[in-house]
Amino acid sequence: MHEDALSLPFAGTRLYAYGLMVMLGCWLAIALLVVLTRRQPKERLAAAWTAAIGLPLGFVLARLLYALLDPGFAPFLSLKNILGVRGGGFAMYGALAGAVLAALMGAKLARVKPSRALDLLAPAVTAFLVPTRLGEGFTALGISRPLTTPFIADSFLALRDAYDAYLRTYALEAFVALVLLVVLLVYRARKPAAGSVFTLFCLLYGLTQTLMESLRYDGHLRYSFVGVQQVLSAALFALTIIYLAARLLKTPGAGKALPVLSIVMTAAILPAIVGIEFLIDRSELGKLFSYGLYLLALAIPGALGILMLKKGDRIWTKS
């Protein structure tokens, strides 16, 4: 654990503020599952299994992903150090993967359709993200490169030390998670096709987290200017686009123009994102201009993905 991570003594040990925020996130996720499954006994059983399996599984996978992929941990990689969890080091994608696997297992144990379980999981894990991201503010994680734009450096979004000002990326991520939670709940209330809520989560989380991981510059799971979780985020939204396109192509009467265009544009956007990362890291161009290009690039697959999901819902809900 970083030496400057906020902690307090408790019963002969130390409680870290970040850990307490993660615990709060778990409680919120479980509470939302309970609310969403009222008067639905089979779904509630699936949610109970998801929580029971997901908490330990998410913890284990979050630790393993960090230990195996973080370059700073590589020189100390051993079973003893992996088990030394109080030293810190976890990966969000490991935790999310654990939650997804738990939902699939819970669905099987409760005899609920996997798509139904995943649709319930999507807003729950998004609720988990809100306090968890805020909790990173109690550590040395979730900050940007030194800010070069004065009006941002002097705003409430900036964190200052003795040398520079840094963007509170963790606060932006928490806000984005809150917005995604509202979007998913509103979308779910419209009763879309089975699996669509989870698909929308994968699309929007992948897109937004690609940008957030670019803003981060805290050394967490990062090789030079390439972040492991940024690559995973880009892969997540790209695979979601491919999944939607393939499903539409297999659906009679859905047409081929939109899914084909979506695949072609996504294939073009991915190398463009890599180019923009080079601009941000090594170019003399202003960061605001570079991130403006970034937003434009991500908006294209985002819009195409939403159009495909909207078109698919009109067809799949009738089948």
Side-chain angles (χ1 to χ4, degrees):
M1 182 61 71
H2 293 285
E3 292 181 1
D4 55 353
L6 181 63
S7 64
L8 60 147
F10 178 79
T13 185
R14 299 198 69 81
L15 292 179
Y16 286 94
Y18 174 70
L20 293 174
M21 294 297 282
V22 172
M23 183 174 66
L24 175 60
C26 293
W27 287 347
L28 286 177
I30 293 170
L32 186 55
L33 284 174
V34 171
V35 171
L36 294 178
T37 56
R38 60 184 182 276
R39 295 189 295 275
Q40 300 175 44
K42 290 183 67 175
E43 284 78 3
R44 179 158 290 186
L45 178 60
W49 278 115
T50 299
I53 299 170
L55 290 174
L57 184 59
F59 179 83
V60 170
L61 292 183
R63 179 61 174 173
L64 280 177
L65 187 63
Y66 172 83
L68 295 176
L69 297 181
D70 188 80
F73 195 84
F76 312 101
L77 184 61
S78 68
L79 180 59
K80 179 182 178 180
N81 289 332
I82 290 174
L83 295 176
V85 295
R86 284 190 60 82
F90 300 93
M92 183 60 75
Y93 267 101
L96 296 179
V100 171
L101 291 174
L104 294 175
M105 287 187 277
K108 187 173 183 179
L109 290 168
R111 298 182 180 180
V112 172
K113 289 183 178 180
S115 58
R116 174 64 177 159
L118 291 175
D119 281 347
L120 289 168
L121 178 70
V125 296
T126 310
F128 161 78
L129 287 169
V130 178
T132 302
R133 291 302 191 190
L134 285 175
E136 291 181 352
F138 298 114
T139 72
L141 300 177
I143 58 172
S144 72
R145 298 169 174 83
L147 291 168
T148 57
T149 307
F151 78 87
I152 298 179
D154 295 331
S155 73
F156 70 96
L157 289 172
L159 174 70
R160 285 191 172 274
D161 63 14
Y163 305 100
D164 279 301
Y166 310 88
L167 184 66
R168 299 178 191 266
T169 309
Y170 64 86
L172 289 179
E173 289 176 284
F175 176 74
V176 168
L178 181 61
V179 173
L180 291 186
L181 175 59
V182 173
V183 169
L184 292 175
L185 290 175
V186 170
Y187 181 58
R188 180 181 179 274
R190 296 178 180 177
K191 301 187 182 303
S196 290
V197 176
F198 181 72
T199 303
L200 182 62
F201 165 77
C202 291
L203 176 67
L204 296 181
Y205 182 74
L207 287 166
T208 56
Q209 199 57 33
T210 298
L211 179 63
M212 293 297 110
E213 291 292 340
S214 176
L215 288 170
R216 281 172 169 261
Y217 209 68
D218 50 20
H220 182 65
L221 287 164
R222 179 172 291 272
Y223 295 80
S224 183
F225 68 93
V226 178
V228 172
Q229 297 196 108
Q230 184 180 23
V231 173
L232 293 175
S233 298
L236 179 61
F237 82 72
L239 289 174
T240 304
I241 293 287
I242 293 171
Y243 163 75
L244 285 169
R247 191 174 178 187
L248 281 178
L249 288 171
K250 292 179 181 178
T251 302
K256 296 183 178 181
L258 179 59
V260 170
L261 175 64
S262 299
I263 292 175
V264 171
M265 291 303 297
T266 301
I269 288 298
L270 290 175
I273 289 174
V274 175
I276 296 170
E277 284 292 341
F278 273 100
L279 286 178
I280 293 170
D281 191 67
R282 302 179 182 181
S283 170
E284 295 300 322
L285 289 174
K287 295 293 189 291
L288 286 180
F289 174 78
S290 297
Y291 277 110
L293 289 177
Y294 218 131
L295 285 170
L296 179 62
L298 292 174
I300 295 172
L304 291 170
I306 290 171
L307 286 174
M308 285 195 293
L309 193 58
K310 185 177 180 180
K311 186 173 187 178
D313 276 341
R314 291 198 299 265
I315 302 171
W316 302 326
T317 50
K318 297 176 183 178
S319 59

